[in-house]
Amino acid sequence: MTLAAVGIVYGDIGTSPLYTLKTVFDPAHGLALTHNNLLGIVSLIFWGLTLIVSLKYVTLVLRADNRGEGGIMALMALVLSSVSKLSRWHFPLMVIGVFGATLFYGDSVITPAISVLSAIEGLEVATPAFSPYVVPLTMVVLVALYSVQSHGTAGIGRYLAPIMVLWFAALAIMGVLNIIKSPHVLAALNPMHAATFLMENGFVAFVALGAVVLALTGAEALYADMGHFGKKPIRLAWFLIAFPALALNYLGQGGLLLAHPEAVSNPFYQQLGSWSVYPLVILSTMATVIASQATISGTFSMTKQAIALGFLPRMRVRHTSESEIGQIYIPAVNWLQLFVVLLAVVGFGSSENLAAAYGIAVTATMLCTTILTFFVIRYRWKMNLALCWAATGFFLIIDVNLVSASALKLFHGGWFPLLLGSILFIVMLTWKRGRQLVFDNLEKHAIPLDDFLASLFIAPPLRVPGTAIFLRGESDGVPHALLHNLLHNKVLHERVIFLTVFMHEEPWVPRNEQVNVLDLGHQCYQVNVHYGFKDEPDIPAALALAQGEAGEFTFEMMETSFFIARQTIISTPGAGMMPWREHLFVTMSRNARTAADYYQIPSNRVIELGTQVEI
């Protein structure tokens, strides 16, 4: 599991040495390559890895798991379940969580673009003749990567760990060789060099922080992948493999630049001399593809969680593995992400330009995670306020400074992930608010089910053979589909089941707690199905569980009809949302995956009856 974690979890942060020091000393940033500046920068990187990744994420944040699941959506769900819905903190915390999640999407676009682009740029070190082909080759690699997503990662997963272990071994070996040549670079382990650099260089040092943060990209991924590997393998992989290799390589690159300042144009590819460029390009391309794969898979998982938590419309989700439920493929997300990634590669053209866009997405997500962690410690773990501030206040100060430094690049590419995040932020909150308006409308016009059944069976309609299952919202009252069926067909099936699906702000609901059955009399039943945001909704499987709970339940699928009310949302002036948001919600609603498809109900057993809902 530790080796598997090396392959999946640390691909992003593991490929950061490709471009971090090159970006820090980019002439556009105004930082001179001097002995003291170099020691200060390497010291900042080393202590950034120590404090933010080792101490904050690996030691503290990994403790804030939602029944074993991590990631900012899982963290947000954990926080929201810890504070009352009536609390003044509930809505602001939801907004922070959603904003952090949307920035993760921005990060997931830039990671494949900058990683693969920086790997292919190694060809320029070998010979400038390759320069015109860097962007086209990058696009070819990316298109190939996204094209194989539909086949899943199960087939290639076994190869990821050995390649990444080889990658980290190469980082460590190159680092050690260059440290031996320039051992005085080890002085950077003294944090006073970082502090002196920040004090002596003032604003220039503050600007440099925005580039130093590139060494920390991928810290969020180790938290997001906790559900796949568990805390212990992720911690072991970091402390035994990833952290030592990264620290050695950054120190080694620092030693190389102390001895050969002219190598600053691309220090990574010049660590071993010209003979190593082509092998390193091949190895780094494989490593960056793996890093990109981890981010793409993370985007699919994040989208599935957002759908379950009610922040995105239902989409087609395909499972690519018979044994691993977490391995999924979402076609709409895959191709849309590829389009935006290619747009970023063509638009920015180089890893230096993309680096400016990278930092702000990463640091803002880190800040959101720190804030949410504070509320977990305070309201979930019930720690006293002083201890909560002691645990998170230090990291909050660091995160605020990193976000501020990255914000200086807002007009040099930082706007790109913020624009992507803002668009998704509006989409997610619009969908959440729109579903709430639909729910309020249905609740306002709902007919209480118990009263309706009592009056219905005073003079019951004709009962026909078979089972009718009516999907019903949490407080919809009598399903519209039942009213339409009685009005038009004037019959009632001999067994009627009202089925309600509850989605919970936790990743998993145990199978023995997923289904409960309530007898309403007259062969009518209320079946409640409970899912977590990582569970796979499957109504036929839930009905099989219901058979086990209520012995008299037997379901012959060919004698069972599912009645579903297909809602047509109509935007009306007045209360609700702004008109453009209402029209956006209506458009999303019309293009959402049908409930029958999402809940895996056999299409030949579904009867849809239309109903209009005004918002």
Side-chain angles (χ1 to χ4, degrees):
M1 288 294 285
T2 300
L3 289 174
V6 173
I8 298 294
V9 177
Y10 294 110
D12 190 356
I13 197 168
T15 53
S16 296
L18 278 165
Y19 46 78
T20 299
L21 279 177
K22 180 176 72 168
T23 304
V24 170
F25 289 105
D26 188 323
H29 296 152
L31 182 64
L33 178 56
T34 65
H35 180 274
N36 289 341
N37 285 352
L38 186 58
L39 289 180
I41 289 294
V42 175
S43 183
L44 275 175
I45 291 172
F46 175 80
W47 286 103
L49 291 170
T50 302
L51 295 175
I52 295 176
V53 184
S54 300
L55 195 57
K56 176 186 168 182
Y57 277 94
V58 178
T59 305
L60 174 64
V61 176
L62 281 185
R63 294 174 182 270
D65 65 299
N66 192 342
R67 294 199 176 187
E69 284 296 319
I72 196 159
M73 290 295 283
L75 184 63
M76 179 190 71
L78 184 68
V79 172
L80 294 181
S81 66
S82 304
V83 299
S84 165
K85 286 193 175 182
L86 301 176
S87 168
R88 62 194 175 99
W89 291 111
H90 192 273
F91 181 74
L93 288 171
M94 183 188 76
V95 169
I96 291 170
V98 172
F99 185 62
T102 58
L103 286 173
F104 176 83
Y105 281 103
D107 184 9
S108 69
V109 165
I110 298 172
T111 294
I114 192 173
S115 299
V116 178
L117 194 54
S118 60
I120 304 294
E121 282 174 348
L123 295 172
E124 292 180 310
V125 178
T127 169
F130 278 112
S131 295
Y133 304 106
V134 168
V135 169
L137 281 173
T138 300
M139 295 175 72
V140 168
V141 171
L142 288 168
V143 170
L145 173 63
Y146 279 88
S147 297
V148 299
Q149 292 303 310
S150 59
H151 300 290
T153 57
I156 61 171
R158 67 177 67 94
Y159 302 112
L160 301 185
I163 293 171
M164 286 310 297
V165 169
L166 179 62
W167 170 255
F168 280 116
L171 291 182
I173 291 167
M174 289 191 296
V176 169
L177 291 175
N178 282 290
I179 290 170
I180 291 171
K181 293 176 183 176
S182 302
H184 47 291
V185 74
L186 292 173
L189 296 175
N190 183 349
M192 285 307 298
H193 283 286
T196 304
F197 170 78
L198 292 172
M199 289 186 290
E200 289 183 353
N201 288 277
F203 184 73
V204 174
F206 188 64
V207 173
L209 271 181
V212 168
V213 78
L214 295 174
L216 313 174
T217 58
E220 201 68 35
L222 69 89
Y223 178 45
D225 285 320
M226 177 166 53
H228 295 285
F229 301 100
K231 300 173 187 177
K232 190 174 180 180
I234 288 176
R235 285 174 172 154
L236 285 173
W238 173 251
F239 286 116
L240 296 180
I241 299 173
F243 183 37
L246 289 170
L248 287 170
N249 194 260
Y250 283 119
L251 286 165
Q253 287 191 46
L256 171 70
L257 293 178
L258 284 176
H260 303 282
E262 69 278 3
V264 74
S265 59
N266 200 321
F268 179 84
Y269 282 108
Q270 298 185 52
Q271 291 181 87
L272 297 179
S274 58
W275 66 268
S276 66
V277 173
Y278 291 113
L280 281 176
V281 168
I282 294 170
L283 181 58
S284 60
T285 301
M286 290 192 291
T288 54
V289 165
I290 292 169
S292 304
Q293 177 61 61
T295 312
I296 296 165
S297 302
T299 306
F300 294 154
S301 298
M302 178 84 76
T303 302
K304 187 172 181 287
Q305 292 179 28
I307 292 169
L309 291 170
F311 289 101
L312 284 174
R314 292 185 294 265
M315 300 179 198
R316 184 171 299 281
V317 178
R318 284 172 47 191
H319 287 266
T320 58
S321 171
E322 294 181 1
S323 58
E324 295 293 332
I325 194 170
Q327 291 185 9
I328 58 173
Y329 169 66
I330 305 177
V333 173
N334 185 68
W335 299 116
L336 183 60
Q337 189 178 30
L338 172 61
F339 173 75
V340 181
V341 168
L342 293 178
L343 207 63
V345 170
V346 174
F348 287 92
S350 71
S351 58
E352 288 95 335
N353 294 336
L354 268 168
Y358 207 3
I360 198 163
V362 173
T363 53
T365 308
M366 286 178 175
L367 178 60
C368 293
T369 298
T370 302
I371 294 170
L372 293 176
T373 303
F374 170 84
F375 282 90
V376 168
I377 298 172
R378 177 64 174 155
Y379 292 100
R380 188 79 176 188
W381 299 347
K382 309 293 184 184
M383 300 289 186
N384 67 63
L385 192 59
L387 188 60
C388 297
W389 277 114
T392 58
F394 174 66
F395 299 117
L396 189 68
I397 294 169
I398 294 175
D399 289 339
V400 168
N401 277 287
L402 291 177
V403 170
S404 303
S406 300
L408 296 173
K409 300 178 182 178
L410 186 63
F411 299 107
H412 300 280
W415 57 269
F416 183 66
L418 287 183
L419 177 63
L420 292 177
S422 299
I423 292 170
L424 276 165
F425 183 72
I426 292 168
V427 166
M428 292 172 83
L429 287 190
T430 297
W431 182 257
K432 184 78 170 176
R433 176 61 179 152
R435 292 307 304 166
Q436 184 63 47
L437 290 172
V438 169
F439 177 82
D440 292 344
N441 182 289
L442 294 173
E443 189 176 39
K444 186 167 59 178
H445 298 98
I447 302 169
L449 182 60
D450 292 340
D451 296 344
F452 175 80
L453 291 178
S455 62
L456 178 68
F457 288 107
I458 293 173
L462 175 67
R463 306 292 290 263
V464 296
T467 299
I469 298 179
F470 295 90
L471 263 65
R472 174 173 175 253
E474 293 183 22
S475 61
D476 276 0
V478 181
H480 285 212
L482 174 61
L483 296 175
H484 284 300
N485 190 45
L486 288 171
L487 178 65
H488 295 290
N489 299 324
K490 298 179 175 57
V491 296
L492 193 68
H493 286 71
E494 64 182 359
R495 183 171 60 173
V496 178
I497 293 172
F498 302 100
L499 192 147
T500 304
V501 177
F502 295 85
M503 301 303 300
H504 296 276
E505 291 175 339
E506 55 190 56
W508 315 101
V509 173
R511 280 179 66 83
N512 62 340
E513 298 175 16
Q514 280 188 355
V515 181
N516 53 65
V517 180
L518 179 65
D519 191 342
L520 304 176
H522 304 284
Q523 283 285 81
C524 296
Y525 302 88
Q526 172 67 45
V527 175
N528 295 324
V529 182
H530 301 269
Y531 290 124
F533 57 77
K534 293 277 283 186
D535 282 318
E536 180 65 17
D538 188 338
I539 294 302
L543 293 176
L545 284 175
Q547 288 182 163
E549 177 166 326
E552 72 277 10
F553 265 44
T554 54
F555 289 96
E556 287 293 336
M557 199 55 73
M558 296 310 295
E559 297 176 7
T560 302
S561 299
F562 292 83
F563 289 83
I564 298 175
R566 188 172 182 85
Q567 297 169 346
T568 301
I569 314 297
I570 299 173
S571 173
T572 57
M577 295 183 288
M578 296 174 67
W580 66 269
R581 287 186 70 196
E582 288 191 354
H583 289 301
L584 174 61
F585 174 72
V586 169
T587 302
M588 288 193 292
S589 183
R590 287 175 180 167
N591 289 281
R593 186 183 179 191
T594 64
D597 194 21
Y598 183 70
Y599 291 123
Q600 302 186 49
I601 301 170
S603 56
N604 61 341
R605 308 311 307 160
V606 174
I607 300 168
E608 286 192 342
L609 298 167
T611 180
Q612 290 188 342
V613 181
E614 294 183 349
I615 60 171

